Amino acid sequence: MKTKKLIVKSRTENLSRIRDFVSSNALEAGFNKDQIDEMILAVDEACTNVIKHAYKYSPDGEIRIEIKFDKSAFTITIEDDGVSFNPDVVPEPDLQKYYREHRVGGLGMYLMKTLMDDVEYKSEPGKFNRVSLTKKLKTA
């Protein structure tokens, strides 16, 4: 099992660093470009939610990212110390209504669950929030 870590401040300009970190490690793990793009989108959504909601755009919060992978799975864990949130209260989006109303944003949890094989969220209010995104490596 390989483990890699990255710690950045909660600033949108750090999203490209996070994308590069995920991309290079996913490539090393053996994923193809489409799978890597899906992971990057899911991680981007998770980190954007941390910046926007957990840290309320405060640039000094810390986002900790840990990647663990072996021959069967690739897990990206994103942790912060910001405001907690309960993903169970986020309703499944009505995508047709969403499209008709030309809405923007608000699909982060839906995208994470759709693009990844497993999404786990753990929060201890006042201590930390942690989301783990797992993609299984399907061998031919």
Side-chain angles (χ1 to χ4, degrees):
M1 175 79 63
K2 289 193 177 190
T3 302
K4 310 274 181 91
K5 293 182 181 183
L6 175 70
I7 299 172
V8 297
K9 292 294 183 187
S10 56
R11 300 178 181 142
T12 52
E13 61 263 26
N14 285 328
L15 291 173
S16 61
R17 253 182 91 192
I18 295 167
R19 286 190 285 267
D20 292 345
F21 177 67
V22 171
S23 180
S24 63
N25 284 291
L27 195 61
E28 181 185 334
F31 287 97
N32 66 38
K33 184 184 179 330
D34 289 342
Q35 294 167 316
I36 293 170
D37 288 347
E38 289 175 351
M39 284 188 264
I40 287 173
L41 181 54
V43 169
D44 225 42
E45 288 293 333
C47 291
T48 299
N49 284 347
V50 168
I51 292 166
K52 261 166 110 166
H53 303 296
Y55 287 125
K56 312 269 188 240
Y57 293 101
S58 168
D60 297 317
E62 197 174 80
I63 302 173
R64 295 174 298 282
I65 298 158
E66 181 180 80
I67 292 176
K68 286 186 178 183
F69 63 95
D70 58 21
K71 289 190 274 302
S72 63
F74 189 89
T75 300
I76 306 142
T77 302
I78 300 157
E79 193 172 278
D80 68 81
D81 304 313
V83 175
S84 294
F85 130 98
N86 181 355
D88 297 331
V89 301
V90 178
E92 282 288 315
D94 177 341
L95 295 178
Q96 291 177 341
K97 180 180 177 189
Y98 197 91
Y99 179 74
R100 279 193 310 273
E101 294 175 359
H102 305 287
R103 292 183 56 197
V104 176
L107 292 177
M109 287 301 295
Y110 170 78
L111 285 170
M112 285 183 254
K113 289 177 182 174
T114 303
L115 297 169
M116 301 300 285
D117 294 319
D118 188 40
V119 176
E120 289 180 27
Y121 186 84
K122 181 171 172 40
S123 177
E124 288 197 24
K127 293 185 180 177
F128 68 87
N129 304 301
R130 179 185 307 131
V131 64
S132 294
L133 308 166
T134 301
K135 183 75 111 174
K136 291 181 178 68
L137 188 57
K138 292 150 183 86
T139 50

